[in-house]
Amino acid sequence: MSEFQYTTSVDVRYQDHDTMGHVNNAIYVTYMEEARTGYLRDELGVAADDLSMVVAHLEVDFHRPVQYADEVEVAVSVTDVGESSFTMVYEVRDDEGVTVEGETVQVILDPETGSSAPVPEAWRESIRVLEG
């Protein structure tokens, strides 16, 4: 299990559930996205309208479903920073523990050309301080 430096609570909405009463599998990706944008905003000081990046890789491992929860906790941490990309890992948890683990790789884009661009130095420094 990874050490997670950032966690956030995400509301589970009625519409998140499928006909079996489980949170639909696609919704977990949205929960991870909410945690990712929260991490970038709260820990790196990046406003949503200043984000110019795409998810280039997404991996999700389902351990068990979330059923009828009011909220889940999503833990997120940056595990690697490359030249133009960085990797984040996630745990989605309910009252009984970890339900889903995930990983994403984000690629920074130059907003004018759409080509990959270096991870901003300010982000690198904030990640070094937070993640150790």
Side-chain angles (χ1 to χ4, degrees), residues 46-52 111:
V46 181
D49 58 351
D50 289 334
L51 288 176
S52 183

Side-chain angles (χ1 to χ4, degrees), residues 13-82:
R13 302 162 300 177
Y14 176 78
Q15 67 194 26
D16 292 350
H17 297 85
D18 61 20
T19 57
M20 295 181 62
H22 304 132
V23 169
N24 181 278
N25 63 306
I27 300 298
Y28 294 100
V29 176
T30 301
Y31 295 164
M32 293 180 348
E33 178 182 50
E34 288 189 37
R36 178 172 57 252
T37 57
Y39 179 103
L40 294 169
R41 179 192 61 238
D42 299 342
E43 301 300 334
L44 305 187
V46 181
D49 58 351
D50 289 334
L51 288 176
S52 183
M53 65 182 194
V54 294
V55 173
H57 171 79
L58 168 67
E59 185 175 313
V60 182
D61 292 319
F62 299 93
H63 299 290
R64 61 180 178 73
V66 171
Q67 287 185 273
Y68 306 114
D70 291 329
E71 65 182 17
V72 292
E73 178 182 76
V74 185
V76 61
S77 198
V78 174
T79 59
D80 185 53
V81 180

Side-chain angles (χ1 to χ4, degrees), residues 7 11-13 35 41 73 86 97 102 110 115 121 123-124:
T7 60
D11 289 336
V12 176
R13 302 162 300 177
R41 179 192 61 238
E73 178 182 76
F86 59 100
D110 180 311
S115 299
E121 191 55 43
W123 294 21
R124 290 176 184 279

Side-chain angles (χ1 to χ4, degrees), residues 65-129:
V66 171
Q67 287 185 273
Y68 306 114
D70 291 329
E71 65 182 17
V72 292
E73 178 182 76
V74 185
V76 61
S77 198
V78 174
T79 59
D80 185 53
V81 180
E83 287 300 313
S84 62
S85 66
F86 59 100
T87 303
M88 300 180 95
V89 294
Y90 310 81
E91 282 185 354
V92 179
R93 306 167 182 154
D94 65 6
D95 291 340
E96 297 175 33
V98 176
T99 65
V100 168
E101 293 178 292
E103 178 182 284
T104 58
V105 175
Q106 291 69 221
V107 175
I108 305 298
L109 298 178
D110 180 311
E112 293 178 19
T113 67
S115 299
S116 64
V119 175
E121 191 55 43
W123 294 21
R124 290 176 184 279
E125 184 57 28
S126 295
I127 291 167
R128 270 191 223 100
V129 168

